[in-house]
Amino acid sequence: MRFFIIIFLLIFILDVNGQDIHFSQFKHSKININPSLTGEQESDFLAVLQRRSQWGSVTDPFKTTAISFYAKDIYKQYSLAIGFINDVAGLSDFTTNGINLSSSLKILNDKDQVFSFGIGFGCFQRSYDFNSLTFYENEQFVANKLFFFDLFTGIFYRKKFNSSTKIDFGFSAFHINNPNQSFTSSSQNTPVKYITHLDYNIMYDNFNLIPSLFYSYQSNQKEYIFGFEVADQIKSFNEKMTFSAGLYYRYNDAIIPSLLFSFEKLDFNISYDINTSDLSRASNNLGGLEFAILYHWKKKKVKNKNKFICPRYL
């Protein structure tokens, strides 16, 4: 059984259209979800490190690392972000290295509503180790490396109903230039990927309840995640740490519990995918371990030490 699953995974990896990199902790992967989320953070600057390892119980682990940096309102209502991605999948060392650049503009920004528009541009290289694979028939691969550009765009809307409730909605489209990701002589353009995400924030006295929904659609590939997060606002450990927990479900794939610890400028989020799909017979319900480290800070206020108040004389 496990042999056939490994063969299936190898075929899946070498699919000419490929599969986009994704994280269960999608809220921390803003540049890969929606460019209009660039700058949607409380602090002026945000740095994020994400690491994911999955399917280690079935084959060589699929390992994904992402580093991103966000600068809020770098010029008026404009925000910028840059992200780096490294992904290594399975026995063939199918590797994706890339860089994303995104920017957003707040078209509407008041105490009750926020509306942003974002655009992004990416450069990627994909490769695999042909010598590590065995085929029953000759395959017409013309190269083991390819390079492609990607264009993406999105919108974001936030509505505050009162002091205790608000809703966040976003919609984005990736691969709008339909890049060619084929390793064969025939051209296979990547279909557009559409993403919708929704958060509803309910604030109580000492904690927040945040139900969330994430949905992506690309040709015949769909991903549907829903769940909630409970954030404790009572600080502990000498008033330096807050705590939150979440429980999500990826439809027909996995249950995802998560824990997040927040300090003054540092957040640490850890989650695990408990596999519930048909693959669980080989994986023994073991899926993917994922963690994210977030560091956020504000601009330093420059004090003018040479400023004097000149007295007035009548």
Side-chain angles (χ1 to χ4, degrees):
M1 179 67 181
R2 182 168 296 189
F3 170 79
F4 292 105
I5 292 173
I6 292 174
I7 295 299
F8 168 77
L9 290 173
L10 289 176
I11 295 172
F12 178 73
I13 290 168
L14 292 176
D15 188 299
V16 291
N17 290 329
Q19 183 193 34
D20 286 345
I21 295 167
H22 71 279
F23 289 96
S24 293
Q25 299 175 27
F26 54 88
K27 294 182 182 181
H28 302 323
S29 188
K30 297 186 292 184
I31 195 171
N32 302 309
I33 298 301
N34 190 336
S36 64
L37 294 175
T38 302
E40 281 301 324
Q41 73 253 6
E42 294 184 3
S43 58
D44 296 315
F45 302 101
L46 173 64
V48 182
L49 168 65
Q50 285 183 274
R51 171 72 174 178
R52 177 179 175 85
S53 178
Q54 63 178 336
W55 306 130
S57 61
V58 178
T59 181
D60 284 2
F62 289 33
K63 296 168 287 187
T64 307
T65 304
I67 300 174
S68 52
F69 174 76
Y70 304 86
K72 177 182 178 181
D73 298 338
I74 199 72
Y75 175 74
K76 294 184 178 180
Q77 300 294 314
Y78 287 94
S79 299
L80 297 175
I82 183 171
F84 303 91
I85 293 174
N86 171 260
D87 181 76
V88 181
L91 298 173
S92 67
D93 288 333
F94 185 78
T95 302
T96 301
N97 291 308
I99 179 173
N100 278 327
L101 300 171
S102 69
S103 63
S104 67
L105 170 64
K106 288 186 175 68
I107 300 174
L108 174 64
N109 187 18
D110 58 37
K111 65 178 183 178
D112 295 324
Q113 298 182 90
V114 174
F115 180 77
S116 302
F117 170 77
I119 56 173
F121 171 80
C123 304
F124 295 89
Q125 177 182 279
R126 279 183 166 166
S127 63
Y128 65 94
D129 182 8
F130 189 87
N131 295 324
S132 64
L133 300 175
T134 301
F135 299 94
Y136 293 106
E137 298 179 359
N138 291 329
E139 298 291 339
Q140 300 300 316
F141 294 108
V142 297
N144 65 345
K145 291 184 180 180
L146 63 86
F147 181 83
F148 64 94
F149 298 98
D150 190 34
L151 298 177
F152 47 97
T153 186
I155 57 172
F156 171 78
Y157 177 71
R158 171 177 292 154
K159 172 64 176 178
K160 292 183 179 180
F161 299 102
N162 49 53
S163 60
S164 60
T165 58
K166 66 178 179 179
I167 190 170
D168 292 350
F169 170 80
F171 177 79
S172 60
F174 285 75
H175 316 309
I176 58 178
N177 58 320
N178 299 123
N180 179 21
Q181 297 187 44
S182 175
F183 287 100
T184 67
S185 57
S186 62
S187 177
Q188 295 287 340
N189 294 329
T190 305
V192 179
K193 178 180 180 179
Y194 301 100
I195 296 176
T196 302
H197 53 93
L198 181 70
D199 290 342
Y200 188 70
N201 195 312
I202 308 170
M203 290 168 276
Y204 294 96
D205 292 337
N206 296 322
F207 67 93
N208 293 359
L209 177 63
I210 311 172
S212 301
L213 172 67
F214 173 91
Y215 177 74
S216 68
Y217 175 82
Q218 182 181 23
S219 186
N220 60 347
Q221 298 179 6
K222 299 178 182 179
E223 183 180 14
Y224 180 37
I225 303 176
F226 60 92
F228 65 92
E229 178 182 340
V230 178
D232 186 3
Q233 299 300 313
I234 300 177
K235 291 188 177 182
S236 58
F237 296 102
N238 298 323
E239 299 289 320
K240 291 184 178 181
M241 189 187 80
T242 57
F243 168 84
S244 65
L247 183 64
Y248 295 89
Y249 176 65
R250 182 184 293 111
Y251 183 68
N252 280 341
D253 183 65
I255 298 171
I256 312 166
S258 69
L259 293 173
L260 185 142
F261 304 91
S262 297
F263 299 90
E264 293 180 349
K265 294 184 178 181
L266 189 68
D267 299 337
F268 180 77
N269 198 175
I270 185 169
S271 64
Y272 191 84
D273 290 19
I274 303 172
N275 182 227
T276 58
S277 69
D278 293 338
L279 189 60
S280 61
R281 288 176 290 178
S283 68
N284 295 319
N285 298 114
L286 301 177
L289 176 66
E290 184 176 325
F291 71 84
I293 300 174
L294 298 83
Y295 182 76
H296 39 92
W297 68 100
K298 296 183 178 181
K299 298 176 183 177
K300 291 183 178 180
K301 295 182 179 180
V302 179
K303 295 182 180 180
N304 191 350
K305 297 181 180 181
N306 298 321
K307 185 178 180 179
F308 299 97
I309 298 177
C310 181
R312 293 182 60 187
Y313 297 96
L314 297 176

